[in-house]
Amino acid sequence: MMTGVIQTVEIEAHRTAPALPEHVRMVHDAAMLDAIDDPVVTLAVWQRSSPLARPDLTGVPTIRFASHSGSVAHGIASALAGLPPQDWHHLLATDVQHLARLYAALTGEDRVEVRLERVTGDGCWKFHADYVALRLITTYCGRATQWLPQGASVEAEPRALAPGDVGLFKGRERAGERAIIHRSPPIAGTGEDRLLLVIDAPWPEEDA
């Protein structure tokens, strides 16, 4: 009897789940993120669990640097070296390294720009498109990036990635007016925090 109830709830949830827009792809394998190369696709999301259990983010600095994609773990580890050692520091450095190599393989960039920060306020809370070609975003803990289907009003209910999801967001340089519209979730005054990673191609002056 209970099984029947569970099945009914699952069926109803499936029926009411919003359809995925044509320009968005959700995948369960990192190798399938190359869906972003489809001209129609402006957001590709690798759905995964966060590799970090809820970490203590006290004292975590904003980390930003450009480097060869194979040297990113060293950059993260060096930036965290001034904090009391935590097991998750190594897990984080290893995962950021993996994502930097993934981004490099998808874009053909040897060097990447990495930004890792603890977010306690609203950040980029207004819906916008980035003036880049392609941006990788993941939120290790806390609420993750929100996005809108193409043509949706900024007053519409946003969709959202989940913690751990890895999103590839096409920006204005690659998609023009079709660039994916997104924002940071507004969390000011809630007491929440987020650990956010952004990977881009480095700015020209930093690529010398």
Side-chain angles (χ1 to χ4, degrees):
M1 193 71 168
M2 182 62 70
T3 300
V5 172
I6 292 173
Q7 288 176 342
T8 300
V9 171
E10 288 178 344
I11 290 170
E12 290 302 319
H14 176 72
R15 286 175 178 167
T16 58
L20 199 64
E22 182 183 16
H23 65 99
V24 178
R25 295 286 187 276
M26 299 286 182
V27 303
H28 296 282
D29 186 332
M32 298 175 68
L33 279 173
D34 61 2
I36 198 66
D37 291 331
D38 184 331
V40 173
V41 177
T42 58
L43 173 62
V45 180
W46 171 23
Q47 295 179 299
R48 63 168 197 165
S49 298
S50 175
L52 305 183
R54 178 66 190 180
D56 179 4
L57 301 181
T58 303
V60 172
T62 295
I63 300 169
R64 186 165 187 167
F65 61 89
S67 76
H68 187 276
S69 60
S71 303
V72 166
H74 175 73
I76 296 293
S78 296
L80 295 175
L83 299 179
Q86 302 278 349
D87 290 342
W88 63 268
H89 290 177
H90 175 72
L91 292 174
L92 176 65
T94 299
D95 192 67
V96 177
Q97 174 77 78
H98 172 61
L99 297 182
R101 284 177 168 157
L102 180 63
Y103 179 88
L106 287 165
T107 61
E109 297 282 352
D110 289 330
R111 288 171 60 82
V112 295
E113 180 172 308
V114 174
R115 174 164 55 91
L116 180 74
E117 62 178 317
R118 177 192 181 195
V119 181
T120 58
D122 285 347
C124 298
W125 63 272
K126 290 186 177 181
F127 283 110
H128 65 283
D130 295 318
Y131 282 87
V132 298
L134 190 68
R135 172 165 286 172
L136 183 151
I137 302 175
T138 190
T139 304
Y140 285 104
C141 61
R143 283 194 269 172
T145 303
Q146 299 175 337
W147 57 274
L148 291 174
Q150 283 181 357
S153 163
V154 294
E155 303 299 326
E157 185 71 21
R159 315 274 186 100
L161 276 64
D165 283 354
V166 177
L168 290 175
F169 292 70
K170 270 185 187 170
R172 299 284 191 197
E173 290 183 10
R174 189 163 169 181
E177 293 303 311
R178 296 183 60 255
I180 187 71
I181 303 299
H182 62 285
R183 71 174 183 182
S184 297
I187 61 171
T190 66
E192 299 178 42
D193 58 4
R194 310 166 58 223
L195 185 60
L196 174 72
L197 171 70
V198 177
I199 298 179
D200 289 311
W203 295 104
E205 62 268 22
E206 296 180 286
D207 200 28

